[in-house]
Every structure is written in C-alpha cells, then in structure tokens.
Amino acid sequence: MRYSDEELIRYLKELYTELGRSPVKRDLKKYSYDAYKKHFGSFNNALIKAGLSVNRRFYSDDDILGWIQDFYKANGRSPSESEFIKLFGDSKLFRNRWDTWSSALKAAQVPIRTSFKALSNEEMLDMLIEVCKKLGRVPKRLEFSKYGLPSPTTYIKRFGMTPAYLLKKHGYISVHSIRRKISKEQLIDELKEVAKLLGHVPSSVDLDRLAKNSIYFSTRIYKKVFGSWNNALKKAGFKPNSEVHKGLSDEEILDIAKKIYEAYGTLNAKLMVKHGVTKSQIERHGGMIRLKKALNIPYNDRTKYTKDDCINGLYEAYHYFGHLPSINEYNSRHFKPSYKTIIKHFKTWSRALEELKKFINFLSQT
C-alpha cells in the first residue's frame, strides 16, 4: 500500500498530541518504521518535517551538515547554536567534531552568523528597540534569532537584566505591554491555527506545550484577555473540552484510560485529567484503583520489581536519550519501574547509574 508524505506526517502529529512527546519507533502502529525511512530518508528527517524534536541517536557528520544546509535553504539564514541544541539536544554533537558552531557552519558551506561580541551596548539596545517597534511588543525567546538579535541570555549577561526590563528601564516599552497590545482577534486567529495544526480543539496543556517551543502565546495571555481558557475557546467558536467530556459514560472513561495506559505504559489521575476526564468523573467510576482493576492494570506493584528490572528500565531510558538519564529525564517518560523504586533498591540514583554502566560494558563485551 502506498502512503503520501502528508499522511505519514499527520500520523506523527497525532502521536505527538496523544503521547505528549515526539514518537519513537516502538510507538508506530498505523505505519511502519520502514515507510518513514523510504519516504524521508530517516525517521528523524520525518520528525523534522513534522516540526517535532528529533530522537537521540548517533549522528554522522553528513546528518548534521545536511540539517544545517536544509535549514539554510528553508529559512534563508544559517541556524543558531541554540536552534541546533533545541533540536538535537546536545552541543557535543558538533563540538567534538568541529570545536565551534562557526566551524560547523563553515564545514556546511553556509554563511557564518555574525558575532555579537563586537557589538556595543548601544548597538544591542538599538537593535532590540527596532524589533520591538516592528512587533509592537517584546520579542519572544525564539523570535530573537528570527530577527537577527543576540539571544536573551546575551542581553542578561551584558546588562544584568532581561530584555523586557532593559526596555522598561529606558522607557521604550512596558514589561506588560504584550498583554495590552495583543488584540482579541489575533489571539482567536492563533487559537484556530493551533487547532488546525493539532487536528482537534487544543487543551490548555496542548497550547502551553506548543508555546514553550514556538512563538505561540501561552494560555496565561488568553486567560488575561478573555478571563478564562474556556471563554477563549468559546470566542474562537470551539466547545471547551470540559463540556465535550461532560457526559462521558463509564465505558467511555474506561476506553480513555485504556488508551492512556497503552500510550504511556502507566495510568494515573494526572494523565486522565490531561486527556479531558475530570476528577469527579474518576471518582464517579470508583477512583483510580477501580479503573486499574477493571483494565487488569497492576495498581500496587512496587515490591514486584527486582534490581534486574530496575537496570532494564534504566537501560531503556539510556537507549532512548543516548546518555545516562537524570532522574527528571527518567521520570518525564514514565519508564518502569519508577525512580522511587530504583532508589529504594540502590539507595541513591548515582549507585543505580554505576550498575547501569557495568551492564552496558557487559553488553558491549558480549
């Protein structure tokens, strides 16, 4: 069967919305991993086409230089170091090969970005003011690179304050002007755009996750302008998720719980609420324990995990991230056993990682 690029990309976005993260090989069900390799050259290329973060793995020189060249062709400018790190997750991927970002750009045969070290304080301030006048507000984090500005961190290091407070200090724009100048019509248009991108009415969690890694406004702005998130949805012509799920039957709640467990490998009240089921609906069904019993999901299995289970869970996380995982990284992807169980067995996270290193060395020798 033949699939179009659009179908494959749409499925990746659906998985991202369902999982709350970029999908990996094991998440694919509707289309095969080979289908993505055939259409896009690699699975990571498909993720990039879908606007999602790529998964950690070993990248060849050609992979990295090819991404730089593709970025230059698509955007008409060379990517910044921060844009590379945001997508690939590790500056060592280019530093260990080319030492500096400028050298990496040179190797990719694209223009080297202008160094901001030689700019005076006055020049940096003038550049910021010019962009603010163009936007009518303080630029968002990702817009600094887009409009050729030094990064927000560079401003903080140079002036000892954020760009917003720097502008306020010089009397050009208020820190809170973004709330006053943004129009309701612009917010509604943006909300409709997000809904079209996701393929469904966005929840507050959906929008805040997008806003963190894009130039979209967060729900904080919508609540300030419209009074509440539900009011904003209604103004955009959408029915709030809380109303959509208001009449859920017990069977529908069970079905949602089952899908969450299949997607995340775990089930808890936080994930249920995130996917539109209210706490009162969970209680109406008898609480989380009754839900788990109905789906034959272990609901109190901490003591069942052995040290070997812990190492296997850590190894899965190591394989996913490409490095020894931190507690936050391990916990963010809902690996099993929980980090608390691992610490219970090994006393500290560091000791658990030491055992993981021994396991990795053992595998490399066999």
Side-chain angles (χ1 to χ4, degrees), residues 2-25:
R2 292 185 177 181
Y3 310 114
S4 68
D5 289 0
E6 291 73 19
E7 286 177 297
L8 294 170
I9 292 299
R10 191 183 307 118
Y11 180 54
L12 290 180
K13 290 180 178 179
E14 289 172 358
L15 284 176
Y16 174 81
T17 303
E18 179 183 338
L19 301 173
R21 58 170 171 79
S22 293
V24 295
K25 182 179 178 179

PDB file of all heavy atoms in Angstrom, residues 2-25:
ATOM      1  N   ARG A   2       0.494   2.241  -0.789  1.00  0.00           N
ATOM      2  CA  ARG A   2       1.268   3.473  -0.860  1.00  0.00           C
ATOM      3  C   ARG A   2       0.676   4.522   0.070  1.00  0.00           C
ATOM      4  O   ARG A   2      -0.537   4.668   0.162  1.00  0.00           O
ATOM      5  CB  ARG A   2       1.284   4.001  -2.300  1.00  0.00           C
ATOM      6  CG  ARG A   2       2.072   3.117  -3.258  1.00  0.00           C
ATOM      7  CD  ARG A   2       2.140   3.761  -4.629  1.00  0.00           C
ATOM      8  NE  ARG A   2       2.940   2.970  -5.535  1.00  0.00           N
ATOM      9  CZ  ARG A   2       3.190   3.318  -6.810  1.00  0.00           C
ATOM     10  NH1 ARG A   2       2.662   4.443  -7.295  1.00  0.00           N
ATOM     11  NH2 ARG A   2       3.932   2.543  -7.572  1.00  0.00           N
ATOM     12  N   TYR A   3       1.564   5.232   0.717  1.00  0.00           N
ATOM     13  CA  TYR A   3       1.136   6.310   1.608  1.00  0.00           C
ATOM     14  C   TYR A   3       1.732   7.617   1.098  1.00  0.00           C
ATOM     15  O   TYR A   3       2.843   7.653   0.561  1.00  0.00           O
ATOM     16  CB  TYR A   3       1.623   6.062   3.039  1.00  0.00           C
ATOM     17  CG  TYR A   3       1.318   4.690   3.577  1.00  0.00           C
ATOM     18  CD1 TYR A   3       2.335   3.790   3.855  1.00  0.00           C
ATOM     19  CD2 TYR A   3       0.007   4.289   3.807  1.00  0.00           C
ATOM     20  CE1 TYR A   3       2.064   2.521   4.349  1.00  0.00           C
ATOM     21  CE2 TYR A   3      -0.277   3.029   4.298  1.00  0.00           C
ATOM     22  CZ  TYR A   3       0.749   2.145   4.563  1.00  0.00           C
ATOM     23  OH  TYR A   3       0.470   0.906   5.048  1.00  0.00           O
ATOM     24  N   SER A   4       1.017   8.705   1.300  1.00  0.00           N
ATOM     25  CA  SER A   4       1.549  10.017   0.933  1.00  0.00           C
ATOM     26  C   SER A   4       2.375  10.571   2.082  1.00  0.00           C
ATOM     27  O   SER A   4       2.224  10.162   3.241  1.00  0.00           O
ATOM     28  CB  SER A   4       0.405  10.976   0.608  1.00  0.00           C
ATOM     29  OG  SER A   4      -0.349  11.274   1.787  1.00  0.00           O
ATOM     30  N   ASP A   5       3.268  11.503   1.768  1.00  0.00           N
ATOM     31  CA  ASP A   5       4.057  12.158   2.818  1.00  0.00           C
ATOM     32  C   ASP A   5       3.146  12.813   3.838  1.00  0.00           C
ATOM     33  O   ASP A   5       3.409  12.788   5.046  1.00  0.00           O
ATOM     34  CB  ASP A   5       4.983  13.213   2.198  1.00  0.00           C
ATOM     35  CG  ASP A   5       6.119  12.584   1.401  1.00  0.00           C
ATOM     36  OD1 ASP A   5       6.171  11.339   1.336  1.00  0.00           O
ATOM     37  OD2 ASP A   5       6.945  13.334   0.847  1.00  0.00           O
ATOM     38  N   GLU A   6       2.048  13.417   3.337  1.00  0.00           N
ATOM     39  CA  GLU A   6       1.130  14.141   4.230  1.00  0.00           C
ATOM     40  C   GLU A   6       0.488  13.191   5.252  1.00  0.00           C
ATOM     41  O   GLU A   6       0.339  13.545   6.419  1.00  0.00           O
ATOM     42  CB  GLU A   6       0.029  14.844   3.413  1.00  0.00           C
ATOM     43  CG  GLU A   6       0.514  16.011   2.557  1.00  0.00           C
ATOM     44  CD  GLU A   6       1.306  15.577   1.329  1.00  0.00           C
ATOM     45  OE1 GLU A   6       1.178  14.389   0.932  1.00  0.00           O
ATOM     46  OE2 GLU A   6       2.053  16.401   0.789  1.00  0.00           O
ATOM     47  N   GLU A   7       0.115  11.989   4.803  1.00  0.00           N
ATOM     48  CA  GLU A   7      -0.494  11.014   5.710  1.00  0.00           C
ATOM     49  C   GLU A   7       0.481  10.602   6.804  1.00  0.00           C
ATOM     50  O   GLU A   7       0.120  10.510   7.990  1.00  0.00           O
ATOM     51  CB  GLU A   7      -0.916   9.768   4.925  1.00  0.00           C
ATOM     52  CG  GLU A   7      -2.147   9.944   4.053  1.00  0.00           C
ATOM     53  CD  GLU A   7      -2.462   8.684   3.262  1.00  0.00           C
ATOM     54  OE1 GLU A   7      -1.627   8.294   2.426  1.00  0.00           O
ATOM     55  OE2 GLU A   7      -3.527   8.095   3.493  1.00  0.00           O
ATOM     56  N   LEU A   8       1.718  10.369   6.420  1.00  0.00           N
ATOM     57  CA  LEU A   8       2.735   9.941   7.379  1.00  0.00           C
ATOM     58  C   LEU A   8       3.031  11.040   8.394  1.00  0.00           C
ATOM     59  O   LEU A   8       3.174  10.779   9.592  1.00  0.00           O
ATOM     60  CB  LEU A   8       4.021   9.538   6.644  1.00  0.00           C
ATOM     61  CG  LEU A   8       3.907   8.293   5.756  1.00  0.00           C
ATOM     62  CD1 LEU A   8       5.145   8.139   4.890  1.00  0.00           C
ATOM     63  CD2 LEU A   8       3.700   7.048   6.594  1.00  0.00           C
ATOM     64  N   ILE A   9       3.121  12.283   7.907  1.00  0.00           N
ATOM     65  CA  ILE A   9       3.394  13.414   8.796  1.00  0.00           C
ATOM     66  C   ILE A   9       2.222  13.651   9.732  1.00  0.00           C
ATOM     67  O   ILE A   9       2.401  13.919  10.938  1.00  0.00           O
ATOM     68  CB  ILE A   9       3.678  14.698   7.972  1.00  0.00           C
ATOM     69  CG1 ILE A   9       5.007  14.559   7.217  1.00  0.00           C
ATOM     70  CG2 ILE A   9       3.713  15.928   8.874  1.00  0.00           C
ATOM     71  CD1 ILE A   9       6.217  14.362   8.105  1.00  0.00           C
ATOM     72  N   ARG A  10       1.010  13.547   9.207  1.00  0.00           N
ATOM     73  CA  ARG A  10      -0.188  13.753  10.029  1.00  0.00           C
ATOM     74  C   ARG A  10      -0.230  12.746  11.180  1.00  0.00           C
ATOM     75  O   ARG A  10      -0.592  13.076  12.308  1.00  0.00           O
ATOM     76  CB  ARG A  10      -1.446  13.624   9.169  1.00  0.00           C
ATOM     77  CG  ARG A  10      -2.733  14.077   9.880  1.00  0.00           C
ATOM     78  CD  ARG A  10      -3.964  13.866   9.013  1.00  0.00           C
ATOM     79  NE  ARG A  10      -3.819  14.468   7.705  1.00  0.00           N
ATOM     80  CZ  ARG A  10      -3.826  13.800   6.561  1.00  0.00           C
ATOM     81  NH1 ARG A  10      -3.983  12.482   6.569  1.00  0.00           N
ATOM     82  NH2 ARG A  10      -3.680  14.418   5.411  1.00  0.00           N
ATOM     83  N   TYR A  11       0.156  11.511  10.895  1.00  0.00           N
ATOM     84  CA  TYR A  11       0.151  10.474  11.931  1.00  0.00           C
ATOM     85  C   TYR A  11       1.170  10.780  13.032  1.00  0.00           C
ATOM     86  O   TYR A  11       0.888  10.571  14.218  1.00  0.00           O
ATOM     87  CB  TYR A  11       0.465   9.118  11.300  1.00  0.00           C
ATOM     88  CG  TYR A  11       0.486   7.975  12.288  1.00  0.00           C
ATOM     89  CD1 TYR A  11      -0.599   7.715  13.125  1.00  0.00           C
ATOM     90  CD2 TYR A  11       1.599   7.148  12.391  1.00  0.00           C
ATOM     91  CE1 TYR A  11      -0.586   6.660  14.022  1.00  0.00           C
ATOM     92  CE2 TYR A  11       1.628   6.087  13.297  1.00  0.00           C
ATOM     93  CZ  TYR A  11       0.529   5.853  14.105  1.00  0.00           C
ATOM     94  OH  TYR A  11       0.566   4.825  14.998  1.00  0.00           O
ATOM     95  N   LEU A  12       2.331  11.315  12.653  1.00  0.00           N
ATOM     96  CA  LEU A  12       3.336  11.696  13.652  1.00  0.00           C
ATOM     97  C   LEU A  12       2.795  12.786  14.573  1.00  0.00           C
ATOM     98  O   LEU A  12       3.012  12.760  15.788  1.00  0.00           O
ATOM     99  CB  LEU A  12       4.617  12.191  12.967  1.00  0.00           C
ATOM    100  CG  LEU A  12       5.464  11.142  12.242  1.00  0.00           C
ATOM    101  CD1 LEU A  12       6.683  11.798  11.620  1.00  0.00           C
ATOM    102  CD2 LEU A  12       5.879  10.026  13.184  1.00  0.00           C
ATOM    103  N   LYS A  13       2.077  13.751  14.003  1.00  0.00           N
ATOM    104  CA  LYS A  13       1.497  14.827  14.811  1.00  0.00           C
ATOM    105  C   LYS A  13       0.411  14.292  15.743  1.00  0.00           C
ATOM    106  O   LYS A  13       0.284  14.746  16.888  1.00  0.00           O
ATOM    107  CB  LYS A  13       0.926  15.915  13.898  1.00  0.00           C
ATOM    108  CG  LYS A  13       2.002  16.708  13.152  1.00  0.00           C
ATOM    109  CD  LYS A  13       1.378  17.779  12.254  1.00  0.00           C
ATOM    110  CE  LYS A  13       2.457  18.592  11.554  1.00  0.00           C
ATOM    111  NZ  LYS A  13       1.889  19.623  10.659  1.00  0.00           N
ATOM    112  N   GLU A  14      -0.353  13.320  15.243  1.00  0.00           N
ATOM    113  CA  GLU A  14      -1.384  12.700  16.087  1.00  0.00           C
ATOM    114  C   GLU A  14      -0.749  11.977  17.271  1.00  0.00           C
ATOM    115  O   GLU A  14      -1.235  12.069  18.404  1.00  0.00           O
ATOM    116  CB  GLU A  14      -2.209  11.715  15.254  1.00  0.00           C
ATOM    117  CG  GLU A  14      -3.118  12.372  14.234  1.00  0.00           C
ATOM    118  CD  GLU A  14      -3.781  11.362  13.304  1.00  0.00           C
ATOM    119  OE1 GLU A  14      -3.489  10.148  13.436  1.00  0.00           O
ATOM    120  OE2 GLU A  14      -4.566  11.784  12.429  1.00  0.00           O
ATOM    121  N   LEU A  15       0.349  11.268  17.010  1.00  0.00           N
ATOM    122  CA  LEU A  15       1.056  10.572  18.078  1.00  0.00           C
ATOM    123  C   LEU A  15       1.635  11.557  19.082  1.00  0.00           C
ATOM    124  O   LEU A  15       1.612  11.322  20.294  1.00  0.00           O
ATOM    125  CB  LEU A  15       2.184   9.707  17.497  1.00  0.00           C
ATOM    126  CG  LEU A  15       1.769   8.400  16.822  1.00  0.00           C
ATOM    127  CD1 LEU A  15       2.976   7.704  16.215  1.00  0.00           C
ATOM    128  CD2 LEU A  15       1.093   7.469  17.826  1.00  0.00           C
ATOM    129  N   TYR A  16       2.159  12.690  18.572  1.00  0.00           N
ATOM    130  CA  TYR A  16       2.727  13.701  19.466  1.00  0.00           C
ATOM    131  C   TYR A  16       1.648  14.236  20.403  1.00  0.00           C
ATOM    132  O   TYR A  16       1.875  14.391  21.609  1.00  0.00           O
ATOM    133  CB  TYR A  16       3.317  14.853  18.644  1.00  0.00           C
ATOM    134  CG  TYR A  16       3.806  16.013  19.491  1.00  0.00           C
ATOM    135  CD1 TYR A  16       5.049  15.966  20.108  1.00  0.00           C
ATOM    136  CD2 TYR A  16       3.012  17.141  19.681  1.00  0.00           C
ATOM    137  CE1 TYR A  16       5.498  17.011  20.898  1.00  0.00           C
ATOM    138  CE2 TYR A  16       3.448  18.189  20.465  1.00  0.00           C
ATOM    139  CZ  TYR A  16       4.698  18.123  21.061  1.00  0.00           C
ATOM    140  OH  TYR A  16       5.131  19.160  21.847  1.00  0.00           O
ATOM    141  N   THR A  17       0.474  14.504  19.861  1.00  0.00           N
ATOM    142  CA  THR A  17      -0.636  15.005  20.672  1.00  0.00           C
ATOM    143  C   THR A  17      -1.067  13.962  21.703  1.00  0.00           C
ATOM    144  O   THR A  17      -1.357  14.281  22.856  1.00  0.00           O
ATOM    145  CB  THR A  17      -1.833  15.362  19.769  1.00  0.00           C
ATOM    146  OG1 THR A  17      -1.415  16.316  18.795  1.00  0.00           O
ATOM    147  CG2 THR A  17      -2.960  15.961  20.591  1.00  0.00           C
ATOM    148  N   GLU A  18      -1.070  12.706  21.293  1.00  0.00           N
ATOM    149  CA  GLU A  18      -1.511  11.624  22.178  1.00  0.00           C
ATOM    150  C   GLU A  18      -0.491  11.330  23.275  1.00  0.00           C
ATOM    151  O   GLU A  18      -0.850  11.128  24.440  1.00  0.00           O
ATOM    152  CB  GLU A  18      -1.738  10.356  21.338  1.00  0.00           C
ATOM    153  CG  GLU A  18      -2.185   9.145  22.143  1.00  0.00           C
ATOM    154  CD  GLU A  18      -2.318   7.901  21.286  1.00  0.00           C
ATOM    155  OE1 GLU A  18      -2.475   8.049  20.051  1.00  0.00           O
ATOM    156  OE2 GLU A  18      -2.250   6.799  21.833  1.00  0.00           O
ATOM    157  N   LEU A  19       0.807  11.348  22.910  1.00  0.00           N
ATOM    158  CA  LEU A  19       1.858  10.950  23.851  1.00  0.00           C
ATOM    159  C   LEU A  19       2.416  12.114  24.655  1.00  0.00           C
ATOM    160  O   LEU A  19       2.971  11.913  25.736  1.00  0.00           O
ATOM    161  CB  LEU A  19       3.008  10.276  23.091  1.00  0.00           C
ATOM    162  CG  LEU A  19       2.673   9.020  22.278  1.00  0.00           C
ATOM    163  CD1 LEU A  19       3.870   8.588  21.456  1.00  0.00           C
ATOM    164  CD2 LEU A  19       2.219   7.907  23.200  1.00  0.00           C
ATOM    165  N   GLY A  20       2.313  13.330  24.102  1.00  0.00           N
ATOM    166  CA  GLY A  20       2.896  14.480  24.786  1.00  0.00           C
ATOM    167  C   GLY A  20       4.390  14.573  24.557  1.00  0.00           C
ATOM    168  O   GLY A  20       5.101  15.290  25.260  1.00  0.00           O
ATOM    169  N   ARG A  21       4.908  13.867  23.558  1.00  0.00           N
ATOM    170  CA  ARG A  21       6.334  13.874  23.219  1.00  0.00           C
ATOM    171  C   ARG A  21       6.484  13.398  21.783  1.00  0.00           C
ATOM    172  O   ARG A  21       5.533  12.881  21.175  1.00  0.00           O
ATOM    173  CB  ARG A  21       7.120  12.927  24.135  1.00  0.00           C
ATOM    174  CG  ARG A  21       6.635  11.487  24.081  1.00  0.00           C
ATOM    175  CD  ARG A  21       7.554  10.535  24.793  1.00  0.00           C
ATOM    176  NE  ARG A  21       7.004   9.204  24.925  1.00  0.00           N
ATOM    177  CZ  ARG A  21       6.980   8.288  23.964  1.00  0.00           C
ATOM    178  NH1 ARG A  21       7.483   8.578  22.765  1.00  0.00           N
ATOM    179  NH2 ARG A  21       6.459   7.097  24.181  1.00  0.00           N
ATOM    180  N   SER A  22       7.680  13.562  21.230  1.00  0.00           N
ATOM    181  CA  SER A  22       7.931  13.038  19.895  1.00  0.00           C
ATOM    182  C   SER A  22       7.883  11.517  19.923  1.00  0.00           C
ATOM    183  O   SER A  22       8.450  10.901  20.826  1.00  0.00           O
ATOM    184  CB  SER A  22       9.308  13.505  19.392  1.00  0.00           C
ATOM    185  OG  SER A  22       9.323  14.894  19.180  1.00  0.00           O
ATOM    186  N   PRO A  23       7.204  10.901  18.973  1.00  0.00           N
ATOM    187  CA  PRO A  23       7.113   9.433  18.975  1.00  0.00           C
ATOM    188  C   PRO A  23       8.455   8.777  18.647  1.00  0.00           C
ATOM    189  O   PRO A  23       9.314   9.389  18.002  1.00  0.00           O
ATOM    190  CB  PRO A  23       6.084   9.153  17.873  1.00  0.00           C
ATOM    191  CG  PRO A  23       6.155  10.347  16.972  1.00  0.00           C
ATOM    192  CD  PRO A  23       6.456  11.512  17.870  1.00  0.00           C
ATOM    193  N   VAL A  24       8.630   7.557  19.114  1.00  0.00           N
ATOM    194  CA  VAL A  24       9.805   6.753  18.791  1.00  0.00           C
ATOM    195  C   VAL A  24       9.339   5.521  18.020  1.00  0.00           C
ATOM    196  O   VAL A  24       8.138   5.313  17.828  1.00  0.00           O
ATOM    197  CB  VAL A  24      10.586   6.346  20.059  1.00  0.00           C
ATOM    198  CG1 VAL A  24      11.152   7.571  20.743  1.00  0.00           C
ATOM    199  CG2 VAL A  24       9.684   5.586  21.031  1.00  0.00           C
ATOM    200  N   LYS A  25      10.294   4.702  17.603  1.00  0.00           N
ATOM    201  CA  LYS A  25       9.994   3.562  16.742  1.00  0.00           C
ATOM    202  C   LYS A  25       8.923   2.659  17.337  1.00  0.00           C
ATOM    203  O   LYS A  25       8.012   2.208  16.644  1.00  0.00           O
ATOM    204  CB  LYS A  25      11.281   2.774  16.488  1.00  0.00           C
ATOM    205  CG  LYS A  25      11.115   1.581  15.559  1.00  0.00           C
ATOM    206  CD  LYS A  25      12.448   0.885  15.341  1.00  0.00           C
ATOM    207  CE  LYS A  25      12.283  -0.345  14.442  1.00  0.00           C
ATOM    208  NZ  LYS A  25      13.588  -1.020  14.206  1.00  0.00           N
TER     209      LYS A  25
END
